Each structure stands twice: as structure tokens, then as C-alpha cells.
């Protein structure tokens, strides 16, 4: 790429680094006990992945399948229980083990029945030792599965945040995104969520849908704002290979880039005008919402425990998971293999993270937050300066106008334009090794 050419704004949503397509089968299958032996375990994060949905949206490339025949959810929870037991044993008891945060994602966790959700909570508490009523617990749901009995169970077990994927309140746009739903059903689900009293409601919306206009985008934004959600996520639509829309739509082009950028800026400004602060390119939080979450856990740190066949786990040296796929037949095969697994004591698929990659990850995940990166914290952790470690990348970002020249001393943060280009900036920080591994990955 020409050094002076601004990257396209929608290259890749970087929610984790290294990207999962850079993972490979680990020939030595390292034992979890050895991996976690020297790791700090006083502020871990637990993520449980439930890979089931009632429908697969056209834009979705998540690791999930439609439906669960032949008591598959029960067999999946059996495997999750076995994995949790093995992982907790690997963590050991030589040092205190404490969880600072927990989340159930997917897929759609509320695809499970209320009784199955109770079992999931029991696995987190009785097997892993998470006090769900004492830590922030986030759970994802959908309009069709946000039933009163499921929501009541989650509220009783300690859920502090319920996140619902609405995507659009405009029925024609929902159909265009291959997510058919009635607005009345969406509003009813939101009402049931508010009735639980769970303190944080998050609503996900998507911009860039075929036929979407500034007026229809505002209609969805205002419909969401009517519920005064504590959080709102605004996601750009991506068309990815092997997804429903990926089979129907042409590749992204500059015209679509401009449409999405325009809708992003409109949505950002609209939410800020209605009392929301921008936390990242996607995330907005109501300024008068009560603070929620621990002060000793940060996205830049390691210590993630993932349960389920689509979940990742992070130690300081290895990020690991299971096999990954997008195609429905491949996903079904991986889920079936997971439910039949008896020995979860070793890491199967992953990528080793050296000191250089740890620096990249810290810089990337800090910069993609609106608050930016504390240079002092970086230097304390790594014993070097981000400006010395990444001179070419930061100089390029500055040339593009992506860095905030008015940031306080000691703070490296993005400008508003830099935040808008988060999905173009993130991949710029990938190492050559990660880029090569991602390029060699064959989608399945």
C-alpha cells in the first residue's frame, strides 16, 4: 500500500488480536495446567459461548448454527461442564483464583431454555467459582428469545447487562439484512427486558443496509433512544464470504464506504446530542448511567477463560480456542466433535504471543478506545515507549490526521476522524507474521 494512501475505513472489525484466522492447530497440545501455572489469576474474565440461534442473519459470520436437534443443547452443556471442570483444575489453588467479570455470548445464549440457562449459571458458579451476583455479568439475547421466563432467571442469577441485537427497527431493512422480524415483537422484547430491572440495557444497531437512508437510520436511532438504553452499539454492515449476504452481494466499494461513513457520523452526532458519550467507534454510553464494572480489569490485559467451542482463552503467552468455521456444515461438525470430547486438559488450536505481539495488542486495543493509551502505563508494562516501538505506524497515523494533537501530555488517543477509521487503522497494526497467517487461512 502506498504510504500516503489512506486505508479504506471498513477493512476489518478488530475485536481481538491476533485474529482467530491466524490461529493454527498446536502440534504439542500444551497442558492447560502448565500454561496457567505462572499466570496472575486474581482478576480473570469468564466468557461462555453458546453457538445456537433461531435464525442466521445474512451478515453473520459468528460461530453459530441454526437450531439444536436431538437434545444437542443438553449434550453441549454436558461438554461445557466437562471443560469447566478441567479448566478449573488447571487453574489450581496455589494462588487465589478470582473472576472480575463474566459474559455469556454466542450465538444467542437465550436460545437455551430457562432451565438450561440455570444450568449454565451453575456451571459458571459451581465449576468455575464465579460469584455471578458479585461481578458484572453480560448476556446477549435476541427479540425472539427474550422471553419473560429466561429474562427473569438471568436477572435472578445476577445479570447486570442484557444486550439485544435489534439491528434495525425498520422492517424492510431487517428483511434486507436477512433478519426478518416485526417491530412490534422487538418493542415487546425491549419491554420485557426493562421489566427485569437489570441495570444496563444495550441495543445493537447496524448501518449500511441496502436501501437504508439517513432518514430511516434516524428512525431506528430514535426508536432505540425511546427506551433510554444505558448503552448503544452502532455496527457497520460487513459483507463477508460464506455468509448469506456474502453469497448475494458484490464486494464493498468506495461508494458503500462513503455511505457507511456518512451514516456513522450522523449516528455518532445524533447520540452525542442526546446525552451519550462515545467509548469507541461502535460503543456509546448514556452519560448519566451509573458506572458498571470492575476497576481492575481492562481489555488490554490477558487472563480470559473461554468455555465453549467458539470461545477464546488468553494467557500472556498463548491465545487458544478450538477450530473455526463460518460455513454451516463445518460449524455443525465442530460442535458435534466438541460435544463428544472427554479430555479438555490441553489447548488444541491457537497462536503463541511473543513480547512484540503483546505490545501490538496493547497499543491496538488501547487506541481503539476513545479514552486512548496512557503512555506511562505502557512504559510501566513493557519498559519501552510506544513511540520507539511503533514509530512508522504512529507517524503514518499522524499524517492521516488520525491522532489527536490536543490530547493531554502522556495520552495517545485518536482524533474523531481516527475513531471513524478504526476498522482501517486496526489492521495497520497487525504484524507481518499475523498478516501472513491470516492470508494463508482457507475459509471453511
Amino acid at each position: 500500500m502506498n504510504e500516503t494512501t489512506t486505508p479504506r475505513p471498513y477493512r476489518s472489525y478488530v475485536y481481538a488480536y491476533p485474529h482467530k484466522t491466524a490461529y493454527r492447530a498446536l502440534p504439542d497440545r500444551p497442558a492447560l495446567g502448565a500454561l496457567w501455572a505462572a499466570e496472575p489469576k486474581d482478576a480473570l474474565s469468564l466468557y461462555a459461548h453458546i453457538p445456537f440461534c433461531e435464525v442466521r442473519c445474512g451478515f453473520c459470520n459468528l460461530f453459530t448454527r441454526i437450531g439444536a436437534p436431538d437434545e444437542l443443547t443438553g449434550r453441549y452443556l454436558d461438554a461445557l461442564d466437562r471443560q469447566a471442570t478441567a479448566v478449573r483444575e488447571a487453574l489450581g489453588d496455589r494462588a487465589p483464583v478470582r473472576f472480575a467479570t463474566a459474559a455469556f455470548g454466542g450465538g444467542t445464549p437465550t436460545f437455551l431454555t430457562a432451565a438450561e440457562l440455570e444450568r449454565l449459571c451453575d456451571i459458571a458458579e459451581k465449576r468455575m467459582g464465579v460469584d455471578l451476583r458479585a461481578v458484572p455479568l453480560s448476556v446477549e439475547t435476541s427479540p425472539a428469545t427474550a422471553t419473560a421466563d429466561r429474562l427473569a432467571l438471568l436477572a435472578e442469577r445476577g445479570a447486570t447487562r442484557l444486550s439485544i441485537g435489534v439491528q434495525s427497527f425498520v422492517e424492510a431493512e431487517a428483511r434486507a439484512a436477512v433478519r426478518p422480524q416485526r417491530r412490534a415483537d422487538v418493542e415487546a422484547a425491549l419491554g420485557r427486558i426493562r421489566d427485569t430491572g437489570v441495570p444496563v440495557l444495550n441495543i445493537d444497531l447496524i448501518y449500511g443496509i441496502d436501501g437504508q437512508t439517513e432518514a430511516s437510520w434516524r428512525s431506528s436511532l430514535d426508536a432505540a433512544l425511546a427506551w433510554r438504553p444505558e448503552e448503544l452499539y452502532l455496527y457497520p454492515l460487513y459483507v463477508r464470504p460464506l455468509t448469506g449476504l456474502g453469497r448475494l452481494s458484490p464486494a464493498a466499494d468506495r461508494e458503500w464506504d462513503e455511505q457507511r461513513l456518512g451514516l456513522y457520523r450522523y449516528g455518532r452526532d445524533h447520540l452525542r446530542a442526546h446525552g451519550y458519550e462515545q467509548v469507541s467507534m461502535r460503543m456509546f454510553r448514556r452519560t448519566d448511567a451509573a458506572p458498571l464494572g470492575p476497576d481492575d480489569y481492562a481489555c488490554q490485559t490477558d487472563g480470559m477463560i473461554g468455555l465453549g467451542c467458539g470461545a477464546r482463552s488468553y494467557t500472556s503467552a498463548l491465545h487458544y480456542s478450538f477450530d473455526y468455521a463460518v460455513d454451516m456444515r463445518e460449524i455443525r461438525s465442530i460442535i458435534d466433535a466438541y460435544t463428544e470430547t472427554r479430555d479438555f486438559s490441553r489447548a488444541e488450536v491457537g497462536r503463541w504471543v511473543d513480547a512484540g505481539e503483546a505490545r501490538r495488542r496493547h497499543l491496538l486495543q488501547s487506541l481503539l478506545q476513545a479514552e486512548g493509551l496512557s503512555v506511562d502505563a505502557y512504559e510501566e508494562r513493557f519498559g519501552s515507549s510506544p513511540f520507539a516501538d511503533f514509530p512508522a505506524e504512529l507517524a503514518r497515523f499522524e499524517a492521516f490526521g488520525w491522532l489527536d494533537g490536543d490530547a493531554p501530555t502522556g495520552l495517545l488517543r485518536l482524533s474523531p476522524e481516527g475513531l471513524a477509521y478504526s476498522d482501517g487503522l486496526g489492521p495497520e497494526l497487525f504484524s507481518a507474521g499475523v498478516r501472513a497467517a491470516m492470508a494463508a487461512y482457507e475459509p471453511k
Side-chain angles (χ1 to χ4, degrees), residues 52-230:
F52 306 108
C53 290
E54 76 278 6
V55 65
R56 188 169 174 87
C57 304
F59 51 83
C60 179
N61 74 334
L62 297 179
F63 188 94
T64 187
R65 61 160 292 165
I66 301 170
D70 304 322
E71 300 180 339
L72 179 57
T73 53
R75 289 186 282 116
Y76 185 84
L77 289 172
D78 289 343
L80 201 76
D81 198 338
R82 293 193 298 272
Q83 185 189 6
T85 301
V87 171
R88 184 60 188 85
E89 181 178 345
L91 292 176
D93 294 310
R94 284 179 292 179
V97 175
R98 171 183 168 268
F99 286 86
T101 183
F104 302 155
T108 309
T110 49
F111 180 90
L112 301 178
T113 65
E116 289 170 331
L117 285 169
E118 184 158 35
R119 186 180 178 197
L120 177 62
C121 291
D122 285 343
I123 291 170
E125 290 197 326
K126 297 176 181 179
R127 295 289 186 263
M128 295 303 304
V130 185
D131 186 349
L132 294 179
R133 293 179 180 86
V135 303
L137 170 60
S138 176
V139 185
E140 297 174 9
T141 189
S142 69
T145 62
T147 59
D149 60 335
R150 292 175 171 105
L151 297 174
L153 180 280
L154 291 170
E156 193 276 328
R157 293 302 295 262
T160 55
R161 179 180 183 269
L162 293 172
S163 177
I164 184 167
V166 172
Q167 320 315 351
S168 178
F169 284 85
V170 179
E171 293 182 9
E173 290 179 3
R175 288 194 299 272
V178 196
R179 185 198 174 92
Q181 61 189 16
R182 296 191 315 129
R183 177 166 175 174
D185 296 334
V186 172
E187 300 279 0
L190 287 164
R192 290 191 294 271
I193 291 174
R194 277 307 196 201
D195 288 344
T196 67
V198 169
V200 175
L201 163 65
N202 173 71
I203 298 176
D204 289 345
L205 298 176
I206 285 182
Y207 55 91
I209 300 170
D210 187 34
Q212 191 174 46
T213 64
E214 187 176 285
S216 68
W217 179 224
R218 176 169 182 156
S219 175
S220 276
L221 292 166
D222 287 342
L225 287 170
W227 290 96
R228 299 199 74 242
E230 285 70 27

Side-chain angles (χ1 to χ4, degrees), residues 90 118 248 356 373 381-382:
E118 184 158 35
L248 299 173
L373 177 143
R381 180 176 180 185
F382 298 111

Side-chain angles (χ1 to χ4, degrees), residues 20 23 47-52 62-65 72 75-77 79-81 83-84 105-107 306-313 320-325 330-341 344 348-349:
K20 205 170 183 180
Y23 291 14
Y47 176 76
H49 177 250
I50 305 301
F52 306 108
L62 297 179
F63 188 94
T64 187
R65 61 160 292 165
L72 179 57
R75 289 186 282 116
Y76 185 84
L77 289 172
L80 201 76
D81 198 338
Q83 185 189 6
L307 299 179
C309 58
R312 311 166 196 235
S313 296
Y320 62 93
S321 184
F322 296 90
D323 202 4
Y324 172 71
E330 296 285 348
I331 290 174
R332 287 196 293 262
S333 175
I334 294 170
I335 293 173
D336 288 343
Y338 175 82
T339 63
E340 295 167 4
T341 299
F344 286 102
E348 303 290 340
V349 177

Side-chain angles (χ1 to χ4, degrees), residues 208-209 212-213 254-264:
I209 300 170
Q212 191 174 46
T213 64
R254 291 284 183 180
E255 184 178 349
W256 193 31
D257 285 349
E258 289 304 313
Q259 182 215 13
R260 285 179 288 179
L261 268 178
L263 293 173
Y264 158 77

